[in-house]
Amino acid sequence: MDIEEFFELLLKEIEVNTSLQNLYRFLKDKRSYHFRKAYYLQRLEYVKNNITLQDASIWDCGCGYGTTGFFLALNGYNVHGTTVEYFYDHIPERFEYWSKFGDTSRFSVSYQNLFDAPFFKDQFDYVITQDVLHHVEPNDRALQIIKDSMKDTGILIACEENGNNLINNFKLFLRRGNKRVIDIYDEKLKKHLKLGNENIQSLKSWKRKLRKAGMAINDNSIEYIRLFPPFFFNKDNYKHILERENRIWKRNKTAREFLFFGINFTAGK
């Protein structure tokens, strides 16, 4: 199943499953629809393009509502997702929906804290983290667990917010000040957890943290995404805007460091 077909089916699911609409806001504001679609497809395409082993074992760490896992399973990959999302109890409804379009048995999900997963040692060809690394705390221990879960040739595929983005940093400071790590209580696990409070990092910071954990970012894998605001996008131009953004970040160091909102990268042992 290609990405465009999957996205159209996702939109139909969101129409009937209103509990998804708080996360996937494609249908809530028509003015930002093409912007949100472009961002979503960019990241899903990045994940897909960096999985090259057909018989790969994949851990979707912090899989959220399981959408990436469904996409990969429908394309023949074995995926296990772990999540502490409140939506977990509704995931069976999603299996019922997506099973109409292919074999979803390759995808499994567990409600599980990252730090309660020691059985994952040396198990995965790929670990996917989408907006996850800046939430897991203590961060150094989390990165070590992720590294240990990978085979020697394993690859971490990460999609993150750009911690150097000036606009995002200002908004986050107004919202949470310098309180970058908070404590929460998980009702299902019956325990307190530490949570990165939108503790976003720069690419330089992730390189340093990953190196300390025994991993290294592949410089050829780095992508900066999301520069232009939603009102720039429409149904006729959004692909051209993505091409333009791609040219800008490659040529302009200041723009990519301080104006782009997202970073994608891969890392290996």
Side-chain angles (χ1 to χ4, degrees):
M1 180 179 293
D2 66 30
I3 289 176
E4 287 283 353
E5 180 185 0
F6 181 81
F7 182 75
E8 292 303 316
L9 291 172
L10 176 62
L11 289 180
K12 292 178 181 178
E13 181 189 20
I14 294 169
E15 287 179 0
V16 297
N17 189 346
T18 56
S19 59
L20 288 169
Q21 293 180 9
N22 287 331
L23 177 66
Y24 298 115
R25 291 178 285 176
F26 300 117
L27 306 180
K28 284 195 170 185
D29 187 350
K30 293 183 178 179
R31 294 170 298 179
S32 63
Y33 168 77
H34 293 286
F35 166 79
R36 294 185 184 281
K37 176 182 177 180
Y39 181 47
Y40 179 80
L41 295 187
Q42 265 185 301
R43 301 211 309 175
L44 188 58
E45 185 173 14
Y46 184 82
V47 170
K48 180 184 178 183
N49 288 345
N50 280 285
I51 297 176
T52 57
L53 297 175
Q54 186 56 48
D55 296 325
S57 57
I58 302 170
W59 176 19
D60 190 352
C61 176
C63 68
Y65 293 6
T67 306
T68 300
F70 285 115
F71 171 75
L72 293 174
L74 291 172
N75 280 282
Y77 295 104
N78 297 310
V79 187
H80 182 70
T82 55
T83 184
V84 288
E85 284 280 0
Y86 74 93
F87 188 80
Y88 177 78
D89 292 339
H90 296 280
I91 289 181
E93 301 169 30
R94 304 207 68 196
F95 272 96
E96 183 178 354
Y97 176 82
W98 287 105
S99 64
K100 300 172 186 175
F101 309 106
D103 181 10
T104 58
S105 65
R106 290 178 176 269
F107 180 41
S108 59
V109 189
S110 60
Y111 193 94
Q112 192 166 13
N113 179 24
L114 169 68
F115 302 103
D116 299 331
F119 56 90
F120 287 160
K121 188 169 178 61
D122 301 323
Q123 187 170 338
F124 296 104
D125 296 296
Y126 300 95
V127 178
I128 300 168
T129 60
Q130 295 182 87
D131 286 330
V132 170
L133 294 183
H134 65 270
H135 283 307
V136 288
E137 291 291 342
N139 199 250
D140 55 349
R141 186 176 159 216
L143 293 176
Q144 188 68 50
I145 290 171
I146 289 171
K147 191 264 288 187
D148 289 345
S149 77
M150 292 159 44
K151 298 178 182 178
D152 288 341
T153 56
I155 295 174
L156 167 66
I157 303 172
C159 301
E160 278 291 318
E161 295 289 319
N162 178 12
N164 275 347
N165 180 273
L166 297 174
I167 299 171
N168 215 7
N169 271 322
F170 179 70
K171 289 167 62 177
L172 288 175
F173 181 78
L174 292 179
R175 186 191 309 171
R176 50 110 163 103
N178 285 320
K179 195 171 184 180
R180 289 176 168 265
V181 180
I182 58 176
D183 290 306
I184 62 170
Y185 184 76
D186 188 286
E187 290 289 347
K188 279 187 178 295
L189 297 176
K190 303 299 181 185
K191 64 193 298 185
H192 289 275
L193 305 175
K194 288 192 177 297
L195 179 72
N197 188 17
E198 298 301 331
N199 190 16
I200 60 176
Q201 307 287 322
S202 67
L203 180 64
K204 183 178 180 180
S205 176
W206 284 124
K207 283 187 173 183
R208 184 177 65 252
K209 286 173 174 283
L210 287 164
R211 192 180 306 116
K212 185 178 179 181
M215 290 182 280
I217 290 178
N218 177 0
D219 287 338
N220 293 327
S221 74
I222 297 167
E223 289 185 358
Y224 283 80
I225 61 175
R226 273 183 67 207
L227 172 65
F228 294 108
F231 58 81
F232 272 66
F233 289 75
N234 60 55
K235 65 179 180 179
D236 298 318
N237 75 356
Y238 82 91
K239 290 185 178 180
H240 296 294
I241 289 180
L242 297 186
E243 292 171 0
R244 185 178 173 190
E245 287 183 342
N246 194 44
R247 291 193 298 269
I248 291 173
W249 80 257
K250 289 179 179 178
R251 296 174 181 175
N252 191 317
K253 181 178 179 180
T254 300
R256 69 172 174 259
E257 285 294 321
F258 302 110
L259 299 179
F260 277 79
F261 282 81
I263 313 171
N264 299 330
F265 59 83
T266 69
K269 290 187 178 183

PDB file of all heavy atoms in Angstrom, residues 106-124:
ATOM      1  N   ARG A 106       0.784  -8.628  11.556  1.00  0.00           N
ATOM      2  CA  ARG A 106       2.215  -8.367  11.748  1.00  0.00           C
ATOM      3  C   ARG A 106       2.464  -7.227  12.736  1.00  0.00           C
ATOM      4  O   ARG A 106       3.610  -6.964  13.098  1.00  0.00           O
ATOM      5  CB  ARG A 106       2.862  -8.022  10.403  1.00  0.00           C
ATOM      6  CG  ARG A 106       2.954  -9.199   9.430  1.00  0.00           C
ATOM      7  CD  ARG A 106       3.558  -8.756   8.109  1.00  0.00           C
ATOM      8  NE  ARG A 106       3.752  -9.860   7.195  1.00  0.00           N
ATOM      9  CZ  ARG A 106       4.859 -10.591   7.103  1.00  0.00           C
ATOM     10  NH1 ARG A 106       5.882 -10.320   7.898  1.00  0.00           N
ATOM     11  NH2 ARG A 106       4.957 -11.578   6.247  1.00  0.00           N
ATOM     12  N   PHE A 107       1.411  -6.548  13.149  1.00  0.00           N
ATOM     13  CA  PHE A 107       1.536  -5.421  14.072  1.00  0.00           C
ATOM     14  C   PHE A 107       0.966  -5.811  15.432  1.00  0.00           C
ATOM     15  O   PHE A 107      -0.156  -6.295  15.531  1.00  0.00           O
ATOM     16  CB  PHE A 107       0.787  -4.207  13.519  1.00  0.00           C
ATOM     17  CG  PHE A 107       0.842  -2.982  14.392  1.00  0.00           C
ATOM     18  CD1 PHE A 107       2.012  -2.599  15.036  1.00  0.00           C
ATOM     19  CD2 PHE A 107      -0.283  -2.189  14.562  1.00  0.00           C
ATOM     20  CE1 PHE A 107       2.068  -1.469  15.834  1.00  0.00           C
ATOM     21  CE2 PHE A 107      -0.245  -1.046  15.350  1.00  0.00           C
ATOM     22  CZ  PHE A 107       0.932  -0.692  15.991  1.00  0.00           C
ATOM     23  N   SER A 108       1.749  -5.606  16.481  1.00  0.00           N
ATOM     24  CA  SER A 108       1.287  -5.837  17.845  1.00  0.00           C
ATOM     25  C   SER A 108       1.583  -4.596  18.675  1.00  0.00           C
ATOM     26  O   SER A 108       2.501  -3.832  18.371  1.00  0.00           O
ATOM     27  CB  SER A 108       1.972  -7.061  18.458  1.00  0.00           C
ATOM     28  OG  SER A 108       3.382  -6.896  18.468  1.00  0.00           O
ATOM     29  N   VAL A 109       0.794  -4.389  19.728  1.00  0.00           N
ATOM     30  CA  VAL A 109       0.937  -3.197  20.562  1.00  0.00           C
ATOM     31  C   VAL A 109       0.857  -3.596  22.030  1.00  0.00           C
ATOM     32  O   VAL A 109       0.041  -4.438  22.407  1.00  0.00           O
ATOM     33  CB  VAL A 109      -0.167  -2.160  20.267  1.00  0.00           C
ATOM     34  CG1 VAL A 109       0.131  -0.847  20.992  1.00  0.00           C
ATOM     35  CG2 VAL A 109      -0.332  -1.921  18.791  1.00  0.00           C
ATOM     36  N   SER A 110       1.692  -2.989  22.852  1.00  0.00           N
ATOM     37  CA  SER A 110       1.589  -3.190  24.292  1.00  0.00           C
ATOM     38  C   SER A 110       1.648  -1.846  25.008  1.00  0.00           C
ATOM     39  O   SER A 110       2.310  -0.911  24.547  1.00  0.00           O
ATOM     40  CB  SER A 110       2.706  -4.107  24.807  1.00  0.00           C
ATOM     41  OG  SER A 110       3.987  -3.561  24.542  1.00  0.00           O
ATOM     42  N   TYR A 111       0.901  -1.763  26.104  1.00  0.00           N
ATOM     43  CA  TYR A 111       0.945  -0.574  26.946  1.00  0.00           C
ATOM     44  C   TYR A 111       2.139  -0.739  27.874  1.00  0.00           C
ATOM     45  O   TYR A 111       2.107  -1.527  28.821  1.00  0.00           O
ATOM     46  CB  TYR A 111      -0.355  -0.436  27.746  1.00  0.00           C
ATOM     47  CG  TYR A 111      -0.520   0.910  28.397  1.00  0.00           C
ATOM     48  CD1 TYR A 111      -1.235   1.923  27.758  1.00  0.00           C
ATOM     49  CD2 TYR A 111       0.038   1.189  29.638  1.00  0.00           C
ATOM     50  CE1 TYR A 111      -1.395   3.170  28.342  1.00  0.00           C
ATOM     51  CE2 TYR A 111      -0.110   2.427  30.238  1.00  0.00           C
ATOM     52  CZ  TYR A 111      -0.826   3.420  29.577  1.00  0.00           C
ATOM     53  OH  TYR A 111      -0.966   4.655  30.156  1.00  0.00           O
ATOM     54  N   GLN A 112       3.187  -0.003  27.604  1.00  0.00           N
ATOM     55  CA  GLN A 112       4.451  -0.314  28.260  1.00  0.00           C
ATOM     56  C   GLN A 112       5.353   0.902  28.325  1.00  0.00           C
ATOM     57  O   GLN A 112       5.559   1.596  27.330  1.00  0.00           O
ATOM     58  CB  GLN A 112       5.146  -1.431  27.484  1.00  0.00           C
ATOM     59  CG  GLN A 112       6.309  -2.062  28.176  1.00  0.00           C
ATOM     60  CD  GLN A 112       6.716  -3.357  27.487  1.00  0.00           C
ATOM     61  OE1 GLN A 112       6.288  -3.659  26.386  1.00  0.00           O
ATOM     62  NE2 GLN A 112       7.559  -4.123  28.137  1.00  0.00           N
ATOM     63  N   ASN A 113       5.880   1.147  29.501  1.00  0.00           N
ATOM     64  CA  ASN A 113       6.871   2.190  29.680  1.00  0.00           C
ATOM     65  C   ASN A 113       8.191   1.738  29.060  1.00  0.00           C
ATOM     66  O   ASN A 113       8.566   0.565  29.143  1.00  0.00           O
ATOM     67  CB  ASN A 113       7.034   2.447  31.184  1.00  0.00           C
ATOM     68  CG  ASN A 113       8.064   3.516  31.488  1.00  0.00           C
ATOM     69  OD1 ASN A 113       8.354   4.375  30.662  1.00  0.00           O
ATOM     70  ND2 ASN A 113       8.624   3.456  32.671  1.00  0.00           N
ATOM     71  N   LEU A 114       8.894   2.654  28.433  1.00  0.00           N
ATOM     72  CA  LEU A 114      10.175   2.344  27.802  1.00  0.00           C
ATOM     73  C   LEU A 114      11.123   1.633  28.754  1.00  0.00           C
ATOM     74  O   LEU A 114      11.847   0.718  28.368  1.00  0.00           O
ATOM     75  CB  LEU A 114      10.816   3.643  27.299  1.00  0.00           C
ATOM     76  CG  LEU A 114      12.274   3.583  26.833  1.00  0.00           C
ATOM     77  CD1 LEU A 114      12.388   2.757  25.562  1.00  0.00           C
ATOM     78  CD2 LEU A 114      12.811   4.989  26.604  1.00  0.00           C
ATOM     79  N   PHE A 115      11.111   2.028  30.011  1.00  0.00           N
ATOM     80  CA  PHE A 115      12.070   1.491  30.966  1.00  0.00           C
ATOM     81  C   PHE A 115      11.653   0.126  31.525  1.00  0.00           C
ATOM     82  O   PHE A 115      12.364  -0.442  32.341  1.00  0.00           O
ATOM     83  CB  PHE A 115      12.273   2.495  32.107  1.00  0.00           C
ATOM     84  CG  PHE A 115      12.750   3.829  31.610  1.00  0.00           C
ATOM     85  CD1 PHE A 115      11.877   4.899  31.518  1.00  0.00           C
ATOM     86  CD2 PHE A 115      14.062   3.998  31.201  1.00  0.00           C
ATOM     87  CE1 PHE A 115      12.311   6.128  31.043  1.00  0.00           C
ATOM     88  CE2 PHE A 115      14.505   5.226  30.733  1.00  0.00           C
ATOM     89  CZ  PHE A 115      13.631   6.286  30.648  1.00  0.00           C
ATOM     90  N   ASP A 116      10.508  -0.381  31.071  1.00  0.00           N
ATOM     91  CA  ASP A 116      10.050  -1.704  31.494  1.00  0.00           C
ATOM     92  C   ASP A 116      10.156  -2.706  30.352  1.00  0.00           C
ATOM     93  O   ASP A 116       9.393  -3.662  30.285  1.00  0.00           O
ATOM     94  CB  ASP A 116       8.589  -1.632  31.961  1.00  0.00           C
ATOM     95  CG  ASP A 116       8.425  -0.697  33.155  1.00  0.00           C
ATOM     96  OD1 ASP A 116       9.384  -0.571  33.927  1.00  0.00           O
ATOM     97  OD2 ASP A 116       7.340  -0.099  33.292  1.00  0.00           O
ATOM     98  N   ALA A 117      11.115  -2.519  29.458  1.00  0.00           N
ATOM     99  CA  ALA A 117      11.198  -3.374  28.272  1.00  0.00           C
ATOM    100  C   ALA A 117      12.587  -4.000  28.103  1.00  0.00           C
ATOM    101  O   ALA A 117      13.197  -3.899  27.057  1.00  0.00           O
ATOM    102  CB  ALA A 117      10.846  -2.550  27.023  1.00  0.00           C
ATOM    103  N   PRO A 118      13.095  -4.685  29.136  1.00  0.00           N
ATOM    104  CA  PRO A 118      14.448  -5.252  29.021  1.00  0.00           C
ATOM    105  C   PRO A 118      14.549  -6.422  28.048  1.00  0.00           C
ATOM    106  O   PRO A 118      15.634  -6.758  27.590  1.00  0.00           O
ATOM    107  CB  PRO A 118      14.747  -5.715  30.458  1.00  0.00           C
ATOM    108  CG  PRO A 118      13.395  -5.978  31.045  1.00  0.00           C
ATOM    109  CD  PRO A 118      12.489  -4.944  30.439  1.00  0.00           C
ATOM    110  N   PHE A 119      13.408  -7.027  27.730  1.00  0.00           N
ATOM    111  CA  PHE A 119      13.426  -8.206  26.860  1.00  0.00           C
ATOM    112  C   PHE A 119      13.693  -7.845  25.401  1.00  0.00           C
ATOM    113  O   PHE A 119      13.772  -8.728  24.554  1.00  0.00           O
ATOM    114  CB  PHE A 119      12.095  -8.955  26.962  1.00  0.00           C
ATOM    115  CG  PHE A 119      10.902  -8.103  26.638  1.00  0.00           C
ATOM    116  CD1 PHE A 119      10.423  -8.007  25.346  1.00  0.00           C
ATOM    117  CD2 PHE A 119      10.250  -7.393  27.637  1.00  0.00           C
ATOM    118  CE1 PHE A 119       9.315  -7.224  25.053  1.00  0.00           C
ATOM    119  CE2 PHE A 119       9.144  -6.607  27.349  1.00  0.00           C
ATOM    120  CZ  PHE A 119       8.673  -6.518  26.063  1.00  0.00           C
ATOM    121  N   PHE A 120      13.844  -6.589  25.082  1.00  0.00           N
ATOM    122  CA  PHE A 120      14.080  -6.162  23.704  1.00  0.00           C
ATOM    123  C   PHE A 120      15.559  -6.193  23.316  1.00  0.00           C
ATOM    124  O   PHE A 120      15.925  -5.723  22.255  1.00  0.00           O
ATOM    125  CB  PHE A 120      13.542  -4.750  23.485  1.00  0.00           C
ATOM    126  CG  PHE A 120      12.041  -4.660  23.419  1.00  0.00           C
ATOM    127  CD1 PHE A 120      11.406  -3.452  23.634  1.00  0.00           C
ATOM    128  CD2 PHE A 120      11.272  -5.763  23.133  1.00  0.00           C
ATOM    129  CE1 PHE A 120      10.023  -3.350  23.571  1.00  0.00           C
ATOM    130  CE2 PHE A 120       9.889  -5.675  23.069  1.00  0.00           C
ATOM    131  CZ  PHE A 120       9.272  -4.472  23.285  1.00  0.00           C
ATOM    132  N   LYS A 121      16.429  -6.711  24.124  1.00  0.00           N
ATOM    133  CA  LYS A 121      17.870  -6.626  23.875  1.00  0.00           C
ATOM    134  C   LYS A 121      18.267  -7.311  22.564  1.00  0.00           C
ATOM    135  O   LYS A 121      17.897  -8.444  22.294  1.00  0.00           O
ATOM    136  CB  LYS A 121      18.632  -7.249  25.042  1.00  0.00           C
ATOM    137  CG  LYS A 121      20.142  -7.027  24.965  1.00  0.00           C
ATOM    138  CD  LYS A 121      20.805  -7.422  26.261  1.00  0.00           C
ATOM    139  CE  LYS A 121      22.318  -7.256  26.170  1.00  0.00           C
ATOM    140  NZ  LYS A 121      22.719  -5.867  25.910  1.00  0.00           N
ATOM    141  N   ASP A 122      19.034  -6.582  21.739  1.00  0.00           N
ATOM    142  CA  ASP A 122      19.586  -7.089  20.469  1.00  0.00           C
ATOM    143  C   ASP A 122      18.522  -7.680  19.548  1.00  0.00           C
ATOM    144  O   ASP A 122      18.773  -8.628  18.814  1.00  0.00           O
ATOM    145  CB  ASP A 122      20.658  -8.162  20.734  1.00  0.00           C
ATOM    146  CG  ASP A 122      21.812  -7.641  21.565  1.00  0.00           C
ATOM    147  OD1 ASP A 122      22.188  -6.468  21.375  1.00  0.00           O
ATOM    148  OD2 ASP A 122      22.326  -8.395  22.407  1.00  0.00           O
ATOM    149  N   GLN A 123      17.340  -7.097  19.530  1.00  0.00           N
ATOM    150  CA  GLN A 123      16.216  -7.723  18.843  1.00  0.00           C
ATOM    151  C   GLN A 123      15.826  -7.071  17.522  1.00  0.00           C
ATOM    152  O   GLN A 123      15.347  -7.749  16.616  1.00  0.00           O
ATOM    153  CB  GLN A 123      14.988  -7.738  19.773  1.00  0.00           C
ATOM    154  CG  GLN A 123      13.799  -8.504  19.231  1.00  0.00           C
ATOM    155  CD  GLN A 123      12.722  -8.689  20.289  1.00  0.00           C
ATOM    156  OE1 GLN A 123      12.986  -8.627  21.482  1.00  0.00           O
ATOM    157  NE2 GLN A 123      11.503  -8.911  19.844  1.00  0.00           N
ATOM    158  N   PHE A 124      16.040  -5.767  17.368  1.00  0.00           N
ATOM    159  CA  PHE A 124      15.415  -5.058  16.266  1.00  0.00           C
ATOM    160  C   PHE A 124      16.401  -4.567  15.203  1.00  0.00           C
ATOM    161  O   PHE A 124      17.501  -4.115  15.509  1.00  0.00           O
ATOM    162  CB  PHE A 124      14.612  -3.863  16.795  1.00  0.00           C
ATOM    163  CG  PHE A 124      13.460  -4.272  17.671  1.00  0.00           C
ATOM    164  CD1 PHE A 124      13.550  -4.141  19.044  1.00  0.00           C
ATOM    165  CD2 PHE A 124      12.318  -4.819  17.125  1.00  0.00           C
ATOM    166  CE1 PHE A 124      12.506  -4.532  19.857  1.00  0.00           C
ATOM    167  CE2 PHE A 124      11.276  -5.214  17.931  1.00  0.00           C
ATOM    168  CZ  PHE A 124      11.359  -5.070  19.295  1.00  0.00           C
TER     169      PHE A 124
END
